[in-house]
Amino acid sequence: MKSMELFLSILALTLLSCSAENPCCSFPCQNKGICLTGREPGSYTCDCGNSDFYGPHCETPTLTKRLKLFLRPSSETLHNWLVSPSLKWIWDIINNVEFLHNYVLKRIYLLRSNVVDSPALYETEHAYPTIGAFLNKTYYARTLPPVPLECPTPMGVKGPKELPDVNLLVEKFFTRTKFRPEPMGTSVLMAFFAQHFTHMFFKTDYTKGVGYTWGGHGVDVSSIYGKDTEVELWLRSGVDGKLKMQTVNNEEYPMYNKDVPVKMTYAPNVPEHHRFAMGHPFYGLLPGLFLYQTIWMREHNRVCDILKGEHPDWDDERLFQTGKLIILGETLKIVVEDYVQHLANYNIEIKFKPTVLFGEHFQYQNKINAEFNDLYHWHPLMPDEFNISGTIYPMKDFMFHSELVLKHGTASFTESLSRQRAGHMSHHNHGPSTIGVVRDTILHGRKLRYQSLNNYRRRFNLEPYESFEDLTGEKEMAAELEKLYLDIEAVEFYVGILVEKRRVKNLFGSTIVEIGGPFSVKGLMSNPICSRHYWKPSTFGGEVGFNIIKTATLKSLFCNNIKGPCPLVTFRVPDFKEGDVDELNNFRLKTEL
């Protein structure tokens, strides 16, 4: 009797174990196939619908797809074509022949944006498709569903049963011991542009959880005007469409927070006359963000003056709303032609031309993905100290000191940020003030149960890494990572992109480029003002307003809004050549001399 009871107990435990084991934990479905568990324990099916693949695991391409795959160069091959010095003459011809350039530009727009699911299929609250992925704007979207809860390891079936201690990872791989400058000569002015620009759509609502956002899921210039109409009204002057500004040291700056009581985030010890009112709560955190906010607010008022001259009959509301549309257009053009061009570093000139997509099947809607938010944590770009007109400010004396821009003036501050190297977006390069961010980002990825780095590479048409040395490009760190993760298929998403070897002639590794690129292009070109209904002079107050957008550049943005001679305005420090090894000390020495 006892032997029978023992047998039944063992059988029950075995059945329980089998029923708890999710066959989708091994991610058997390829090429965007969706895994569905079956009625019988351990059974599953792969839904290959609309994927151009078929077979038990969606592993076999259709004949048309097979031909496309045969003709399509790998992402590395394409990147090398685009950055190769020996092929620059071909790209110069394309850049100067309009119909060729328009064709190539359209292909770039479409190839990049079509990689992104639109509309989004998944969101951060559920592990399966929901209508909320499209309709509920409080959720971030997500590219891949989470690792099922019942899997034997946090990454599915590969790797350790517990992920490495996050504090150990931070100490071993990410803490800066010596500042490592960005290898392509990127300036700190670019680093602050990235931070100011992206925080109009990366707005995690931590009161609800890491999967929630209070943003509008796109380029909406809310970073300049505020999150809603209430904040916007506080920032507006109510006269001629302009924003409230005050004059200090013969320059215009945002108002003090005491006079415009919008919600801002300042340290308790920041005095009243150093607290300013701006469109984002923490733009008072760093003077570089304050600089950009000041310049954009000046630009809005400059545009309104031009519109008032063209349309003296327009009231305050119409001047403001049309000025806002022009600022949005300027933002998109500068982001595409200055910022994205710098990040891509391609020989082809990347232009902001919404018209090349007219007539194409293109959806003018966007949803910010949680993975894109995490991937964009570029805090290693921040140096440990800042050289402003020869005065060195350690980070602790730079944070929460927006008044430094007033002290040095916008011209000197802009020039100083243009001449200083940003940090390398890589491992062992998080400074003391941002080391907590990398820790939190890794933990957020675990909370959202992101799949492995390799699974994301597969999703974005990249070859998965076959070894830790393949990932890092060296041996020592690879060996340390292998001890902790055991299997290359178990490396976490954010950890992987930080330890990944740098791509040739680029700021980042291939994963950031090939995942970030599609999200960026989709988010930029899906803006409604890029549609044929919006993209015409009347939207922007006539040809004069339309031309403000068409001629906008990073340099003109600053030069039009700084009195006196225009300072140096550049995303790459002057006279830099890839391979230079000058670091912050060398720059400081040259400045002092």
Side-chain angles (χ1 to χ4, degrees):
M1 185 67 179
K2 287 184 179 181
S3 61
M4 179 59 71
E5 289 176 353
L6 179 61
F7 170 78
L8 290 174
S9 297
I10 293 173
L11 179 62
L13 287 171
T14 302
L15 290 173
L16 181 62
S17 175
C18 289
S19 64
E21 184 177 333
N22 186 335
C24 295
C25 288
S26 62
F27 305 108
C29 305
Q30 304 172 32
N31 301 304
K32 297 179 67 175
I34 298 175
C35 184
L36 289 172
T37 53
R39 181 178 299 178
E40 300 298 324
S43 66
Y44 66 89
T45 57
C46 289
D47 182 359
C48 311
N50 306 319
S51 68
D52 293 328
F53 289 86
Y54 63 95
H57 300 108
C58 311
E59 74 280 9
T60 306
T62 62
L63 184 60
T64 303
K65 186 66 174 181
R66 191 187 301 274
L67 180 61
K68 289 180 180 178
L69 291 173
F70 176 76
L71 295 174
R72 186 181 73 189
S74 71
S75 62
E76 290 302 318
T77 299
L78 186 58
H79 175 79
N80 290 334
W81 288 349
L82 286 164
V83 301
S84 172
S86 63
L87 297 178
K88 189 176 184 302
W89 66 274
I90 296 177
W91 294 111
D92 286 343
I93 294 173
I94 292 173
N95 288 333
N96 287 287
V97 180
E98 187 173 8
F99 80 91
L100 287 176
H101 185 261
N102 286 348
Y103 176 79
V104 174
L105 194 62
K106 178 168 69 174
R107 299 315 304 167
I108 290 174
Y109 286 164
L110 292 174
L111 287 171
R112 286 297 198 193
S113 59
N114 287 344
V115 177
V116 178
D117 288 334
S118 183
L121 186 63
Y122 299 105
E123 34 79 0
T124 47
E125 183 64 17
H126 300 90
Y128 42 82
T130 66
I131 192 62
F134 176 74
L135 295 177
N136 193 330
K137 301 300 183 182
T138 65
Y139 295 142
Y140 280 118
R142 64 183 302 156
T143 307
L144 293 178
V147 177
L149 281 168
E150 61 273 19
C151 293
T153 74
M155 286 294 129
V157 297
K158 301 292 180 70
K161 292 189 178 298
E162 290 188 11
L163 289 169
D165 178 73
V166 69
N167 292 316
L168 175 64
L169 287 172
V170 168
E171 179 183 353
K172 204 172 189 66
F173 300 109
F174 305 123
T175 301
R176 177 184 290 164
T177 55
K178 179 183 179 183
F179 175 72
R180 297 167 56 222
E182 199 285 305
M184 297 293 295
T186 295
S187 71
V188 176
L189 190 72
M190 195 289 294
F192 281 120
F193 183 94
Q195 195 172 20
H196 185 275
F197 163 65
T198 58
H199 276 91
M200 73 175 71
F201 45 83
F202 292 145
K203 295 177 175 177
T204 302
D205 188 347
Y206 291 106
T207 62
K208 294 181 180 178
V210 297
Y212 289 81
T213 175
W214 55 276
H217 291 278
V219 181
D220 56 9
V221 288
S222 59
S223 53
I224 301 169
Y225 299 97
K227 67 174 184 176
D228 53 32
T229 304
E230 182 182 1
V231 175
E232 193 176 83
L233 288 172
W234 273 113
L235 294 173
R236 290 173 60 176
S237 69
V239 179
D240 294 339
K242 292 185 178 183
L243 299 170
K244 293 176 184 173
M245 301 286 279
Q246 61 175 325
T247 301
V248 182
N249 298 334
N250 203 33
E251 289 195 88
E252 286 193 325
Y253 291 100
M255 300 292 289
Y256 291 127
N257 203 186
K258 65 182 178 64
D259 300 318
V260 178
V262 297
K263 182 180 178 182
M264 295 295 294
T265 303
Y266 285 103
N269 61 338
V270 176
E272 269 194 352
H273 62 287
H274 293 168
R275 295 173 179 242
F276 299 89
M278 290 172 279
H280 196 291
F282 70 69
Y283 279 0
L285 173 65
L286 292 164
L289 299 176
F290 178 78
L291 173 69
Y292 272 106
Q293 186 70 10
T294 297
I295 295 298
W296 276 116
M297 291 177 75
R298 291 179 186 176
E299 176 66 2
H300 173 89
N301 287 355
R302 187 186 77 88
V303 166
C304 285
D305 282 337
I306 294 172
L307 288 174
K308 180 71 173 177
E310 290 292 309
H311 304 283
D313 58 315
W314 281 10
D315 61 10
D316 170 71
E317 181 67 10
R318 186 163 187 182
L319 289 168
F320 172 80
Q321 296 296 347
T322 306
K324 187 176 180 180
L325 281 167
I326 292 172
I327 295 299
L328 173 56
E330 287 190 83
T331 298
L332 289 167
K333 185 172 186 296
I334 291 169
V335 168
V336 171
E337 298 191 5
D338 287 285
Y339 179 65
V340 173
Q341 182 77 61
H342 175 80
L343 296 179
N345 197 36
Y346 292 156
N347 288 323
I348 187 171
E349 293 179 358
I350 303 175
K351 295 292 186 181
F352 178 55
K353 290 185 177 180
T355 52
V356 303
L357 290 177
F358 292 176
E360 296 292 329
H361 294 293
F362 192 79
Q363 294 192 27
Y364 291 94
Q365 50 118 345
N366 189 55
K367 194 83 179 279
I368 296 297
N369 283 50
E371 297 97 338
F372 187 36
N373 180 23
D374 282 9
L375 174 146
Y376 229 117
H377 281 67
W378 294 356
H379 295 80
L381 291 172
M382 284 293 110
D384 293 325
E385 56 187 27
F386 298 84
N387 184 332
I388 308 298
S389 304
T391 301
I392 304 300
Y393 294 97
M395 180 62 82
K396 66 180 180 62
D397 296 330
F398 197 74
M399 292 179 66
F400 290 115
H401 285 283
S402 298
E403 79 279 359
L404 293 178
V405 180
L406 285 73
K407 174 184 175 181
H408 292 277
T410 51
S412 294
F413 213 91
T414 301
E415 176 122 4
S416 296
L417 297 186
S418 294
R419 292 188 179 278
Q420 182 169 345
R421 291 269 292 280
H424 186 12
M425 173 58 193
S426 183
H427 54 85
H428 297 96
N429 211 27
H430 272 80
S433 61
T434 65
I435 199 65
V437 178
V438 66
R439 180 186 293 107
D440 290 343
T441 305
I442 294 170
L443 291 175
H444 293 166
R446 293 179 181 184
K447 190 173 184 65
L448 294 172
R449 307 200 311 278
Y450 287 153
Q451 294 184 32
S452 69
L453 176 76
N454 264 350
N455 277 0
Y456 279 99
R457 287 180 63 83
R458 292 183 180 97
R459 167 61 182 79
F460 284 85
N461 305 316
L462 289 164
E463 288 295 320
Y465 287 117
E466 296 182 356
S467 69
F468 288 89
E469 287 186 28
D470 189 23
L471 167 64
T472 64
E474 49 78 81
K475 295 182 180 294
E476 183 177 341
M477 187 168 58
E480 293 176 334
L481 284 166
E482 188 166 13
K483 288 178 184 177
L484 295 173
Y485 285 102
L486 306 180
D487 193 304
I488 190 64
E489 294 292 341
V491 175
E492 297 173 85
F493 177 64
Y494 190 65
V495 171
I497 62 177
L498 283 180
V499 301
E500 184 178 37
K501 59 183 178 290
R502 183 172 75 95
R503 204 177 215 180
V504 61
K505 290 188 174 295
N506 201 266
L507 285 70
F508 313 111
S510 60
T511 305
I512 285 184
V513 177
E514 297 301 324
I515 295 181
F519 285 129
S520 297
V521 172
K522 176 62 178 173
L524 292 166
M525 300 312 299
S526 66
N527 192 283
I529 74 162
C530 297
S531 68
R532 65 165 59 245
H533 306 294
Y534 274 80
W535 191 251
K536 49 192 173 185
S538 56
T539 302
F540 309 102
E543 289 292 348
V544 171
F546 208 18
N547 285 332
I548 292 174
I549 296 173
K550 291 179 178 180
T551 59
T553 65
L554 180 74
K555 185 174 181 179
S556 68
L557 172 67
F558 279 84
C559 295
N560 286 336
N561 293 288
I562 293 178
K563 294 179 180 179
C566 187
L568 178 69
V569 181
T570 177
F571 282 160
R572 181 168 280 114
V573 296
D575 303 321
F576 179 81
K577 297 178 181 177
E578 187 176 5
D580 285 357
V581 294
D582 62 310
E583 297 187 7
L584 188 57
N585 288 338
N586 292 345
F587 168 71
R588 184 193 306 175
L589 179 62
K590 285 187 285 186
T591 303
E592 291 171 351
L593 290 175

